Amino acid sequence: MTPLHALDAWEAAQRLARGELTAEALTRACLERIADREADVLAFSALDPDAALAQARVLDAAPRRGLLHGLPFGAKDLFDTADFATACGTPIHAGHRPVADAAAVALCRAAGAVLVGKTVTTELAHMTAGPTRHPLRPTHTPGGSSSGSAAAVADGMLMLALGTQTAGSIIRPAAYCGIVGYKPSAGRVPRAGVKSASETLDVVGGFARSVRGAALLGAVLTGDARLLPREEAPAAPRIGLAWPPEGGAAEPAVHAAWARALTALGAWARCGDAALPATFARLVPLQQEVMAHEAARALAWEHRWRREQLSAPLLALLDAGAAIPGALHAANLAEARRLGAAVDALFADHDVLLAPSTLGEAPAGLAHTGDPLFCRAWSLLGLPCVHLPFASGPTGLPVGLQLVGRRGTDHHLLAIADAAMQRLT
């Protein structure tokens, strides 16, 4: 029998709804897993087991509250929480105690989820790593910047966890840790109460151990019931094969996962090459410039008044971003819109696009969080993405691919992703 802490969020939600499981039992199982594993994984920046159990008991004594009733979840330490400090992965904000929850946290709690704790983020959601280790191999990075959220869900400490993506901060750690990551379309989930890294690029999403679990979370975050899992699978969707121009950087494990996916999905879907426009290669450096400029403005206070407490890599990024004139930034955004129109045209012939998520397995070392190269373009365009974990690399660590949808079609993307996973695993 599957241990309670290892249940998928969708399965756990069904059992809770049928009265076969209590919120307290599920929360206690996750807390026991945390007690057993947190010293090795270091996924949390703050925990309160007693408060989590108290929340669960209140839920058990009341009518079902919503779609996430009784599911233990965590919030990346960029999200404001009324009952935990929000330090944003930096000593600059250590001990900062908000008076209210971020909107996404409030939505999850209103739907009945049990907030267990805050999960580790990299420094101000950028590339300098926090302490979290890969749950399968502690000498390797779990990815970032949503490091703790991905590691905690992958290790069975949480059913669900909130994250953010600016470059590749949901899809990359999901890929490294072997779980599902869902980055919604830009603008679909409120960002109120989340520390900003980039006004244009930031998106709130999350992690689960199945597409159905991610869809459940997505339905709550967006308020769109169309995201909920469907019983009927989409018939013969059109999947565009969007191997990127930077694909030469992919390791053999990604090529192997690609070949496996084409075989498995080709028997069900109509798979065909998506002719990425020649301008697609411009999207990666453009995303980097947009992110740097907007980070320097979003973190203007830290950059100006707490420079000595910033890491050298983040300080260099902010210095470079501050040197980009506002007129050039406006031109970059206009160029991104023009290039995005050419990519959007691909969806006239394809329902979703298949693309690599990462260069390969999670790299060794804890000082860095891996390269978000294959996520940058999709983040700049604001397109919804779902990472599908279904393969492993030569050292046994997870590898997978992502499906990318047309902006605003998250429900179609998740339905196809769910059906695809059933054929890939």
Side-chain angles (χ1 to χ4, degrees):
M1 180 179 292
T2 303
L4 291 184
H5 74 266
L7 288 176
D8 167 66
W10 175 252
E11 180 185 356
Q14 305 312 299
R15 291 180 60 177
L16 284 159
R18 293 192 298 264
E20 300 170 3
L21 180 62
T22 65
E24 181 177 359
L26 189 59
T27 301
R28 191 177 297 278
C30 287
L31 290 171
E32 289 172 355
R33 179 68 173 177
I34 292 169
D36 185 49
R37 293 283 294 151
E38 172 61 3
D40 296 321
V41 180
L42 301 176
F44 290 89
S45 61
L47 282 166
D48 191 339
D50 291 340
L53 288 170
Q55 292 174 62
R57 293 186 192 108
V58 169
L59 290 166
D60 285 335
R64 183 172 172 80
R65 186 177 294 178
L67 292 172
L68 305 184
H69 189 96
L71 296 180
F73 83 109
K76 183 179 182 178
D77 194 26
L78 293 182
F79 291 75
D80 283 350
T81 43
D83 42 4
F84 289 103
T86 300
C88 303
T90 173
I92 296 171
H93 296 294
H96 170 62
R97 191 65 174 265
V99 298
D101 289 339
V105 174
L107 288 168
C108 289
R109 291 176 125 167
V114 176
L115 182 63
V116 172
K118 302 294 285 291
T119 56
V120 169
T121 179
T122 61
E123 179 192 25
L124 291 161
H126 286 82
M127 299 297 287
T128 301
T132 306
R133 304 165 184 165
H134 198 290
L136 298 177
R137 195 165 299 158
T139 55
H140 288 233
T141 179
S145 61
S146 306
S147 313
S149 287
V153 171
D155 204 55
M157 299 177 180
L158 299 169
M159 299 282 108
L160 301 165
L162 296 175
T164 61
Q165 179 157 314
T166 307
S169 296
I170 291 174
I171 298 299
R172 184 168 86 263
Y176 286 166
C177 293
I179 56 174
V180 172
Y182 166 47
K183 183 193 84 69
S185 296
R188 290 298 303 275
V189 181
R191 293 183 293 155
V194 181
K195 181 68 171 174
S196 176
S198 167
E199 188 64 27
T200 298
L201 304 172
D202 290 349
V203 172
V204 171
F207 302 89
R209 289 194 288 276
S210 73
V211 175
R212 293 193 162 204
L216 191 67
L217 177 62
V220 169
L221 293 176
T222 64
D224 189 345
R226 294 178 301 167
L227 272 65
L228 290 172
R230 307 175 186 177
E231 290 307 318
E232 70 285 357
R238 302 169 300 165
I239 298 179
L241 308 178
W243 189 262
E246 308 85 12
E251 297 171 10
V254 176
H255 288 275
W258 186 265
R260 175 176 161 184
L262 297 194
T263 299
L265 299 180
W268 158 64
R270 290 173 285 169
C271 298
D273 288 336
L276 293 174
T279 53
F280 191 87
R282 170 67 179 140
L283 291 170
V284 168
L286 198 57
Q287 188 274 344
Q288 292 173 304
E289 287 189 25
V290 168
M291 185 174 76
H293 175 86
E294 294 191 353
R297 302 189 71 76
L299 302 177
W301 182 83
E302 292 88 349
H303 188 209
R304 175 64 179 83
W305 302 108
R306 294 293 185 271
R307 291 176 63 89
E308 72 284 355
Q309 291 180 274
L310 296 172
S311 69
L314 180 52
L315 185 58
L317 174 73
L318 298 181
D319 286 344
I324 297 173
L328 176 57
H329 178 63
N332 283 341
L333 293 178
E335 183 180 3
R337 288 191 292 271
R338 290 194 301 272
L339 300 183
V343 174
D344 186 68
L346 295 174
F347 292 103
D349 299 315
H350 308 287
D351 298 310
V352 295
L353 304 177
L354 182 69
S357 296
T358 60
L359 305 187
E361 295 175 287
L366 299 174
H368 57 95
T369 61
D371 192 334
L373 177 64
F374 294 153
C375 298
R376 289 188 184 273
W378 312 122
S379 289
L380 178 61
L381 300 178
L383 303 185
C385 304
V386 177
H387 174 73
L388 305 179
F390 65 91
S392 59
T395 76
L397 289 179
V399 173
L401 303 171
Q402 61 180 319
L403 286 178
V404 181
R406 193 173 208 162
R407 189 162 177 167
T409 66
D410 299 46
H411 54 297
H412 291 309
L413 172 65
L414 285 162
I416 293 171
D418 184 34
M421 274 301 295
Q422 295 176 34
R423 288 155 177 82
L424 288 167
T425 55

